[in-house]
Amino acid sequence: EADFWLLRNKMLAFALVAFLASSLTFAQDACNGKYTDQTSCEKDDICTWCKAAAVPSSCFEKENAKKLPPGVFQCDSIELVDLREEPPSWMKKAETARWVVHHTSYGTLATSSVHLNGTAFGNIQSFVDGDLNFTTGIPYFYVSEMDASQQDIAENPMVSFTVSEVSIGYCNEKGFDPEDPRCAKVVLSGKMVEVTDTVEHNKFKDALFSRHPSMKSWPASHSWKVKKLIIKDIWMLDFFGGAAIIDPQEYYNVTLN
């Protein structure tokens, strides 16, 4: 178990370093580095101040700020609703589930831990179901077999993946606690598999790099793979009155605007 926690800590440290490296994506940003405080940043019409807890708050061009992960940064002059349409009515369950999956960029992957004798193990995982221009409803991941969750999946590929509107700022905007039923959360359960088709692999690797730019700089020595979740069951809570069980085919048949 000591080796497991050492590996876990190393992976967390690597994730932080990789995220900081994503700042290279904005090397040509006219605001980043030019303004180092919120007041001067927001005096420039093309700039916005983006606050973060895990990394330093910074000034970015508004267009670049829209590309930042909303679960990490909160940008003062950028309304998250500008990046997405309003969610569907709570009465449209399949549409709501697809909307939440498409607009979130990370969630919690739950596996049966080989290091903890089968105990459930939750791990934050970045993903996409497409890029900002297309959506499939299928979560795709960029992962290394060095990761503890992938070691679990090698033994038992059946997993659950949870995403929530809280990660895109919607619930905070509405004043909803993350546990409030109106703050939609979706649990996708099924089988994690590696993407082996070359066309599919390249398409979703590009989509992952588009929505998670720092992935491009992750070390090749980790032998990254593109994997996807074959969904078998969908559980969602998005309003009072109990959770909904959504048929996967109905979910896949949704067309988002």
Side-chain angles (χ1 to χ4, degrees), residues 44-106:
D44 192 321
D45 290 339
I46 71 166
C47 304
T48 185
W49 186 253
C50 298
K51 300 174 183 177
V55 296
S57 300
S58 301
C59 188
F60 292 97
E61 289 181 42
K62 291 178 180 178
E63 287 305 307
N64 282 338
K66 293 178 181 180
K67 302 172 187 177
L68 294 169
V72 177
F73 288 95
Q74 295 293 323
C75 302
D76 291 339
S77 301
I78 300 294
E79 292 292 336
L80 289 177
V81 290
D82 289 340
L83 311 184
R84 51 168 171 76
E85 65 277 11
E86 283 290 307
S89 165
W90 63 271
M91 294 182 288
K92 297 180 177 181
K93 300 302 184 185
E95 288 89 339
T96 298
R98 280 289 300 274
W99 186 93
V100 174
V101 169
H102 182 59
H103 286 91
T104 50
S105 60
Y106 68 91

Side-chain angles (χ1 to χ4, degrees), residues 195-215:
V195 176
T196 56
D197 178 80
T198 301
V199 174
E200 182 183 13
H201 175 279
N202 292 340
K203 179 179 181 179
F204 285 93
K205 182 178 178 181
D206 288 345
L208 283 155
F209 284 4
S210 174
R211 295 188 69 176
H212 302 277
S214 66
M215 288 180 174

Side-chain angles (χ1 to χ4, degrees), residues 236-249:
M236 182 181 73
L237 182 63
D238 71 328
F239 203 70
F240 303 107
I245 304 301
I246 300 169
D247 179 79
Q249 194 56 54

Side-chain angles (χ1 to χ4, degrees), residues 1 4-5 112-121 152:
E1 290 193 9
F4 162 66
W5 289 113
S112 297
S113 175
V114 296
H115 302 282
L116 302 173
N117 299 317
T119 300
F121 179 73
D152 296 341

Side-chain angles (χ1 to χ4, degrees), residues 8 11-12 14-16 19 69 71-72 104-111 121-127 140-144 147-150 152-153 160-164 166-167 192 212 215 218 224:
R8 172 73 174 148
M11 289 299 291
L12 289 172
F14 162 69
L16 178 58
F19 182 77
V72 177
T104 50
S105 60
Y106 68 91
T108 301
L109 182 65
T111 57
F121 179 73
N123 196 0
I124 295 297
Q125 191 75 61
S126 298
F127 82 104
Y140 285 80
F141 308 88
Y142 193 56
V143 295
S144 167
D147 180 70
S149 296
Q150 298 308 311
D152 296 341
I153 289 166
S160 289
F161 186 60
T162 303
V163 293
S164 169
V166 72
S167 70
M192 181 81 80
H212 302 277
M215 288 180 174
W218 290 1
W224 301 97

